[in-house]
Amino acid sequence: MLTKDLLLDKIEKRTARVGIIGLGYVGLPLAVEFARAGFRVLGYDVSERVVAELNDGRSHIADVPSRAVAALIKEGRFEATTDAVRLGDMDAVSIAVPTPLAKTRDPDMSYVLSATETVARSARPGQVIILESTTYPGTTREMLQPAMEARGLVVGRDVFLAFSPERVDPGNERWTTHNTPKVVGGITADCTDVAVALYGSCIERVVPVSSPEAAELTKLLENTFRAVNIAMVNEMAIVCDKLGVDVWEVIDAAATKPFGFMRFTPGPGIGGHCIPLDPHYLAWKMRTLNYKTRFIDLASEINSEMPSYVVDKVAAALNDERRAVNGSRILVLGIAYKRDINDVRESPALDIIRLLEDLGADVVYHDPFVPSFQEDGVRHEAVALTDEELKRSDAVVIVTDHSSVDYQRLVDTARLIIDPRNATAQTKPGQARVVSLSTMKPTMDSTALAPELH
Ligand SMILES: NC(=O)c1ccc[n+]([C@@H]2O[C@H](COP(=O)([O-])OP(=O)(O)OC[C@H]3O[C@@H](n4cnc5c(N)ncnc54)[C@H](O)[C@@H]3O)[C@@H](O)[C@H]2O)c1
């Protein structure tokens, strides 16, 4: 039997052994999916803590309950290891390691490079290797393929190599690893066939594309689309603020159009491992080809200015009350980068806290999902969201609109609320003055807008 047919047969019979490199937000849910589909899965991670906890039946990823990990470990379907040599026993290996940015905003490919070296060291005929980490177009062909060839393996004949972007949306219960369609692009048609068969065994819908570059670019298009649209709506919030129009009312009204409009909402900035970073992978790649990706640059500029825009709102709101930011006690509510998750990576809340502290504010925070976090070597502990704390704070800034927070209590108890998320939209008026991203003026002075008409 041909190597490809052997591999397809093992996948169909679920006798293929699956290895996952990197057991984080992406790798662990994927490992669980393969294990649930009937494969024996080996997770490899460089972190001894992560490996020990998982083997103990404890999950560090909120979307994967510990009991699911514990059950799979008990059934012998999943095991974690720090021993890279064991990857040689795997028939399929998916790589899901981080792809952050360096301080210069250029791609930091050190994790992918290290994972490539790891997988290449134990690569053997009959394996399918799939890169999942978000990266610039060309990575699979330029980095992984030569590593396989250096081992004397012919890609498409001995080993099968593909890129398949992960689309996991942490905290999203409707769309999970299992039911979110998965795009796959192999180096050769046989590489695509094998990777499609592998993912098709545990994911509802697999979408083959003609090359790894098409798959790599698909992910970057998706996340650039989000970054650009969020920036556009953030700019619209600033426009509305200057015009004295309520941006939320305008968005709600525009969203009644049944075609040609997609709702995006403004906020204090963007965060997480994806939207703020991924477009820069494409911008960097295009710079090497002497092309400037203007939409990406502009979106990044606007989105990264939002924390400072929010801090200006805080300062102006305190000023209205004859108070300075300096010396005020400010409660930042929500530190995670988005609602109902515990991930603080790249969170705009971190910038907002730093900017307020630079101005001399006494900043405390509350987040039901993040009891403590470390930033620049400093450990921050959450305060309880008590009535005393709300009364004591000169201003409350709702940076993340977690759904478990009682916003009516906030409005009834706090003095001043800056609400860039519109979290208080459904509350009844209370004692707090609420300042939105765009503050509607009670009446518009039409003469100021169009004096020539009068
Ligand atoms: N988090 C998301 O929402 C999300 C969504 C889609 C795509 N992605 C992409 O998926 C990739 C992984 O992101 P993540 O959020 O899962 O990262 P993560 O930081 O949660 O997990 C990565 C894991 O890889 C391990 N690791 C690092 N280097 C390693 C190596 N050389 N060998 C083995 N293990 C190693 C780390 O210890 C960590 O446990 C990134 O490229 C990211 O852009 C992330």
Side-chain angles (χ1 to χ4, degrees):
M1 231 200 255
L2 286 172
T3 316
K4 175 187 171 187
D5 295 333
L6 260 175
L7 200 45
L8 289 175
D9 190 52
K10 283 185 181 181
I11 292 169
E12 202 192 322
K13 293 187 174 131
R14 306 291 192 263
T15 53
R17 295 283 324 266
V18 177
I20 307 284
I21 301 186
L23 298 170
Y25 287 91
V26 168
L28 187 60
L30 188 64
V32 167
E33 232 29 83
F34 276 118
R36 282 187 180 145
F39 294 96
R40 278 175 63 210
V41 180
L42 181 72
Y44 165 75
D45 202 290
V46 287
S47 164
E48 287 183 5
R49 181 187 57 83
V50 165
V51 166
E53 280 181 12
L54 288 171
N55 283 335
D56 225 20
R58 279 177 291 141
S59 167
H60 59 301
I61 300 295
D63 287 344
V64 179
S66 289
R67 64 185 141 69
V69 175
L72 292 171
I73 299 251
K74 201 166 158 219
E75 290 162 25
R77 301 239 140 262
F78 174 68
E79 185 194 346
T81 185
T82 52
D83 182 3
V85 175
R86 294 183 61 192
L87 291 169
D89 299 335
M90 301 298 115
D91 300 294
V93 180
S94 294
I95 304 171
V97 295
T99 44
L101 290 178
K103 283 256 179 277
T104 52
R105 319 281 305 153
D106 285 346
D108 173 357
M109 295 301 289
S110 58
Y111 301 90
V112 174
L113 189 59
S114 146
T116 301
E117 285 164 359
T118 301
V119 79
R121 261 195 299 278
S122 59
R124 56 160 177 86
Q127 284 188 316
V128 51
I129 292 156
I130 300 159
L131 180 62
E132 296 256 344
S133 302
T134 307
T135 183
Y136 60 84
T139 307
T140 311
R141 199 181 296 275
E142 292 160 14
M143 199 178 275
L144 277 90
Q145 187 174 358
M148 297 302 139
E149 287 168 353
R151 295 268 305 168
L153 298 164
V154 176
V155 170
R157 188 194 69 192
D158 305 326
V159 289
F160 302 92
L161 183 58
F163 183 82
S164 179
E166 183 49 61
R167 288 167 154 172
V168 68
D169 181 18
N172 190 332
E173 286 171 13
R174 168 82 181 85
W175 295 108
T176 60
T177 302
H178 182 72
N179 65 5
T180 305
K182 193 130 177 63
V183 172
V184 171
I187 295 276
T188 66
D190 280 349
C191 293
T192 307
D193 288 350
V194 176
V196 166
L198 180 72
Y199 284 131
S201 64
C202 67
I203 290 170
E204 278 181 12
R205 186 171 161 228
V206 181
V207 183
V209 292
S210 66
S211 66
E213 288 77 13
E216 289 159 340
L217 202 46
T218 301
K219 174 75 186 177
L220 297 178
L221 168 63
E222 290 164 13
N223 282 358
T224 302
F225 171 84
R226 284 192 64 75
V228 167
N229 278 286
I230 293 168
M232 192 273 290
V233 85
N234 277 336
E235 181 165 76
M236 198 54 76
I238 296 170
V239 166
C240 284
D241 196 22
K242 292 191 184 300
L243 292 173
V245 177
D246 180 356
V247 67
W248 305 100
E249 183 187 6
V250 174
I251 293 169
D252 285 345
T256 60
K257 185 179 178 185
F259 50 89
F261 182 81
M262 186 179 282
R263 185 191 174 89
F264 279 84
T265 47
I270 51 176
H273 191 323
C274 295
I275 314 294
L277 312 188
D278 298 351
H280 291 283
Y281 273 72
L282 184 55
W284 172 84
K285 176 70 184 181
M286 297 318 294
R287 275 203 299 281
T288 69
L289 300 174
N290 280 329
Y291 183 80
K292 193 167 148 49
T293 49
R294 286 156 290 174
F295 272 107
I296 292 176
D297 295 354
L298 182 59
S300 168
E301 191 182 317
I302 293 177
N303 288 333
S304 57
E305 280 170 6
M306 290 312 288
S308 141
Y309 190 75
V310 169
V311 169
D312 287 349
K313 284 259 158 211
V314 177
L318 285 169
N319 185 62
D320 286 344
E321 298 180 3
R322 296 168 175 268
R323 293 194 68 90
V325 176
N326 196 346
S328 287
R329 184 176 176 93
I330 298 178
L331 170 65
V332 169
L333 183 53
I335 191 94
Y337 78 85
K338 68 171 183 175
R339 183 193 296 167
D340 298 344
I341 63 162
N342 64 0
D343 191 351
V344 300
R345 291 179 298 177
E346 309 285 328
S347 175
L350 305 178
D351 286 332
I352 289 174
I353 291 176
R354 183 180 47 76
L355 290 167
L356 289 170
E357 284 179 343
D358 285 352
L359 291 173
D362 173 17
V363 184
V364 291
Y365 90 94
H366 173 82
D367 189 311
F369 290 84
V370 188
S372 68
F373 70 97
Q374 189 125 354
E375 176 72 357
D376 294 332
V378 181
R379 195 174 163 77
H380 301 251
E381 304 269 351
V383 296
L385 196 61
T386 58
D387 285 355
E388 292 68 47
E389 187 58 59
L390 290 171
K391 284 182 189 145
R392 222 178 132 193
S393 298
D394 296 301
V396 179
V397 191
I398 305 174
V399 180
T400 314
D401 50 345
H402 289 306
S403 42
S404 61
V405 172
D406 179 352
Y407 293 102
Q408 187 62 56
R409 176 163 80 94
L410 222 66
V411 171
D412 289 340
T413 317
R415 268 185 276 156
L416 172 64
I417 297 173
I418 289 80
D419 180 12
R421 296 280 188 187
N422 209 25
T424 55
Q426 305 305 324
T427 58
K428 292 195 230 49
Q431 75 158 6
R433 183 161 72 92
V434 181
V435 175
S436 162
L437 256 193
S438 72
T439 312
M440 196 170 66
K441 292 185 183 129
T443 48
M444 249 200 204
D445 179 357
S446 56
T447 53
L449 284 177
E452 69 278 12
L453 296 179
H454 293 269

